[in-house]
Amino acid sequence: MTDATAPSPDHDSTVLALARELAGAEARCAALAQTRRRSLATLALGGALGFGAGVYVAAAAVAQSHAPAGQSPQASSSTPAPTREQLMAMLPAGERARLEEFEQKVAWVSQYTRSSPQFDAGAAIALFLGNMAKAMESVPLMHAEMQVMNAKVNALPFIANEVAGMNAKMGVITADMDSTMGRAGRMMPWGW
């Protein structure tokens, strides 16, 4: 009869082991999330620099191909193209702010690439693509870690049932305390 009402030490150790594993998995998940944020920042900066290098190369190619006395194709069209201000006015405020921030980054990259005559756009793009590929290597690891964490979280209903069973057994034990200890049992704070 004592074995039926006492909580099993095996369940306690199992619950503690699962709680430790869950805490470790959460710590690893937080570390992987930090790595992912850094990877995304690197990708954004790489994309901006790559775009700037591409614009620089394209602008140089266009400048070489046009004759200085030639007339631009826009001047020959009958309808004038909308101005930058008109196009910007069509955008919502949030998108307009993001576009202006992007333009500032592109301008900085353009100035940076013009500041060095030895700048090689192809090498820079290859470097950024290599960094992006390295950053993407962490994605499968994050997926595997999330699968492990999901499997561990799936054990929580079992743990909750075990704790409810232990609470019920403890309730049976403490309910009988009053009758076995007399007046002292009624004064004990078991209801806390």
Side-chain angles (χ1 to χ4, degrees):
M1 191 183 284
T2 311
D3 294 333
T5 59
S8 172
D10 291 336
H11 292 299
D12 292 341
S13 63
T14 303
V15 169
L16 288 174
L18 284 172
R20 277 191 295 261
E21 288 293 323
L22 184 60
E26 287 175 352
R28 287 189 298 272
C29 182
L32 287 172
Q34 180 70 18
T35 302
R36 181 175 175 260
R37 282 192 293 272
R38 287 182 185 152
S39 299
L40 291 176
T42 303
L43 289 174
L45 181 60
L49 287 174
F51 181 76
V55 167
Y56 175 73
V57 169
V62 168
Q64 289 176 354
S65 67
H66 284 322
Q71 208 177 34
S72 69
Q74 291 179 353
S76 64
S77 68
S78 61
T79 59
T83 64
R84 180 186 181 280
E85 289 77 23
Q86 290 171 341
L87 293 172
M88 291 292 272
M90 292 180 200
L91 292 174
E95 288 183 30
R96 190 178 317 133
R98 277 186 294 193
L99 182 61
E100 288 171 351
E101 181 183 346
F102 179 74
E103 286 177 344
Q104 289 172 354
K105 288 179 183 177
V106 169
W108 182 86
V109 170
S110 178
Q111 288 175 358
Y112 176 77
T113 55
R114 277 190 248 125
S115 69
S116 175
Q118 295 86 13
F119 181 77
D120 184 7
I125 291 171
L127 176 67
F128 294 131
L129 289 175
N131 287 342
M132 288 169 49
K134 215 184 302 181
M136 295 306 289
E137 289 174 358
S138 65
V139 173
L141 295 172
M142 290 171 59
H143 177 71
E145 189 68 29
M146 292 301 289
Q147 294 300 325
V148 169
M149 194 165 141
N150 283 342
K152 289 180 181 176
V153 169
N154 286 339
L156 285 178
F158 171 74
I159 294 171
N161 287 338
E162 288 296 316
V163 169
M166 287 190 287
N167 282 342
K169 291 175 186 174
M170 291 300 291
V172 169
I173 293 169
T174 57
D176 293 337
M177 281 286 198
D178 183 46
S179 63
T180 58
M181 294 180 67
R183 185 178 293 169
R186 284 189 290 277
M187 294 184 331
M188 295 297 271
W190 296 113
W192 283 359

